[in-house]
mmCIF file of all heavy atoms in Angstrom:
data_model
loop_
_atom_site.group_PDB
_atom_site.id
_atom_site.type_symbol
_atom_site.label_atom_id
_atom_site.label_comp_id
_atom_site.label_asym_id
_atom_site.label_seq_id
_atom_site.Cartn_x
_atom_site.Cartn_y
_atom_site.Cartn_z
ATOM 1 N N SER A 1659 11.961 11.978 13.654
ATOM 2 C CA SER A 1659 13.182 11.837 12.871
ATOM 3 C C SER A 1659 13.442 10.392 12.460
ATOM 4 O O SER A 1659 14.214 10.144 11.524
ATOM 5 C CB SER A 1659 14.381 12.369 13.659
ATOM 6 O OG SER A 1659 14.517 11.667 14.891
ATOM 7 N N ASN A 1660 12.816 9.441 13.127
ATOM 8 C CA ASN A 1660 12.984 8.023 12.791
ATOM 9 C C ASN A 1660 11.798 7.488 11.999
ATOM 10 O O ASN A 1660 11.624 6.291 11.859
ATOM 11 C CB ASN A 1660 13.176 7.189 14.066
ATOM 12 C CG ASN A 1660 13.613 5.759 13.760
ATOM 13 O OD1 ASN A 1660 14.409 5.521 12.861
ATOM 14 N ND2 ASN A 1660 13.055 4.791 14.477
ATOM 15 N N LEU A 1661 10.984 8.370 11.463
ATOM 16 C CA LEU A 1661 9.840 7.990 10.638
ATOM 17 C C LEU A 1661 9.992 8.600 9.255
ATOM 18 O O LEU A 1661 10.559 9.683 9.104
ATOM 19 C CB LEU A 1661 8.530 8.477 11.270
ATOM 20 C CG LEU A 1661 8.099 7.803 12.566
ATOM 21 C CD1 LEU A 1661 6.962 8.594 13.207
ATOM 22 C CD2 LEU A 1661 7.662 6.369 12.304
ATOM 23 N N HIS A 1662 9.497 7.900 8.267
ATOM 24 C CA HIS A 1662 9.475 8.468 6.929
ATOM 25 C C HIS A 1662 8.281 7.918 6.160
ATOM 26 O O HIS A 1662 7.668 6.931 6.539
ATOM 27 C CB HIS A 1662 10.786 8.215 6.182
ATOM 28 C CG HIS A 1662 11.095 6.771 5.919
ATOM 29 N ND1 HIS A 1662 12.090 6.360 5.063
ATOM 30 C CD2 HIS A 1662 10.537 5.618 6.388
ATOM 31 C CE1 HIS A 1662 12.153 5.052 5.023
ATOM 32 N NE2 HIS A 1662 11.226 4.567 5.806
ATOM 33 N N VAL A 1663 7.966 8.596 5.076
ATOM 34 C CA VAL A 1663 6.868 8.196 4.200
ATOM 35 C C VAL A 1663 7.431 7.330 3.086
ATOM 36 O O VAL A 1663 8.440 7.687 2.462
ATOM 37 C CB VAL A 1663 6.157 9.430 3.605
ATOM 38 C CG1 VAL A 1663 5.147 9.017 2.532
ATOM 39 C CG2 VAL A 1663 5.461 10.227 4.700
ATOM 40 N N VAL A 1664 6.798 6.190 2.840
ATOM 41 C CA VAL A 1664 7.194 5.324 1.729
ATOM 42 C C VAL A 1664 5.937 4.834 1.022
ATOM 43 O O VAL A 1664 4.853 4.793 1.602
ATOM 44 C CB VAL A 1664 8.018 4.107 2.200
ATOM 45 C CG1 VAL A 1664 9.384 4.539 2.698
ATOM 46 C CG2 VAL A 1664 7.292 3.324 3.281
ATOM 47 N N CYS A 1665 6.080 4.480 -0.230
ATOM 48 C CA CYS A 1665 4.969 3.870 -0.954
ATOM 49 C C CYS A 1665 5.021 2.358 -0.727
ATOM 50 O O CYS A 1665 6.026 1.819 -0.270
ATOM 51 C CB CYS A 1665 5.048 4.195 -2.449
ATOM 52 S SG CYS A 1665 6.484 3.485 -3.301
ATOM 53 N N LEU A 1666 3.931 1.680 -1.068
ATOM 54 C CA LEU A 1666 3.884 0.241 -0.844
ATOM 55 C C LEU A 1666 4.972 -0.498 -1.610
ATOM 56 O O LEU A 1666 5.495 -1.514 -1.151
ATOM 57 C CB LEU A 1666 2.510 -0.315 -1.243
ATOM 58 C CG LEU A 1666 1.349 -0.033 -0.289
ATOM 59 C CD1 LEU A 1666 0.094 -0.734 -0.783
ATOM 60 C CD2 LEU A 1666 1.674 -0.502 1.122
ATOM 61 N N ARG A 1667 5.332 0.022 -2.775
ATOM 62 C CA ARG A 1667 6.362 -0.661 -3.570
ATOM 63 C C ARG A 1667 7.691 -0.690 -2.835
ATOM 64 O O ARG A 1667 8.455 -1.645 -2.960
ATOM 65 C CB ARG A 1667 6.523 0.040 -4.924
ATOM 66 C CG ARG A 1667 7.722 -0.445 -5.725
ATOM 67 C CD ARG A 1667 7.739 0.136 -7.120
ATOM 68 N NE ARG A 1667 6.849 -0.601 -8.002
ATOM 69 C CZ ARG A 1667 6.663 -0.311 -9.283
ATOM 70 N NH1 ARG A 1667 7.288 0.715 -9.814
ATOM 71 N NH2 ARG A 1667 5.841 -1.015 -10.026
ATOM 72 N N HIS A 1668 7.973 0.344 -2.042
ATOM 73 C CA HIS A 1668 9.260 0.429 -1.363
ATOM 74 C C HIS A 1668 9.143 0.219 0.141
ATOM 75 O O HIS A 1668 10.040 0.570 0.896
ATOM 76 C CB HIS A 1668 9.918 1.778 -1.661
ATOM 77 C CG HIS A 1668 10.322 1.916 -3.089
ATOM 78 N ND1 HIS A 1668 9.603 2.658 -4.000
ATOM 79 C CD2 HIS A 1668 11.348 1.351 -3.779
ATOM 80 C CE1 HIS A 1668 10.176 2.564 -5.192
ATOM 81 N NE2 HIS A 1668 11.233 1.781 -5.085
ATOM 82 N N SER A 1669 8.047 -0.381 0.573
ATOM 83 C CA SER A 1669 7.871 -0.646 2.001
ATOM 84 C C SER A 1669 8.199 -2.092 2.350
ATOM 85 O O SER A 1669 8.047 -2.511 3.484
ATOM 86 C CB SER A 1669 6.419 -0.364 2.407
ATOM 87 O OG SER A 1669 5.547 -1.290 1.781
ATOM 88 N N GLY A 1670 8.606 -2.881 1.337
ATOM 89 C CA GLY A 1670 8.861 -4.295 1.576
ATOM 90 C C GLY A 1670 7.666 -5.161 1.264
ATOM 91 O O GLY A 1670 7.653 -6.342 1.575
ATOM 92 N N GLY A 1671 6.637 -4.579 0.635
ATOM 93 C CA GLY A 1671 5.432 -5.333 0.303
ATOM 94 C C GLY A 1671 5.577 -6.115 -0.978
ATOM 95 O O GLY A 1671 6.665 -6.247 -1.545
#
Side-chain angles (χ1 to χ4, degrees):
S1659 59
N1660 191 39
L1661 291 168
H1662 64 168
V1663 172
V1664 291
C1665 65
L1666 285 184
R1667 170 173 279 180
H1668 293 103
S1669 66

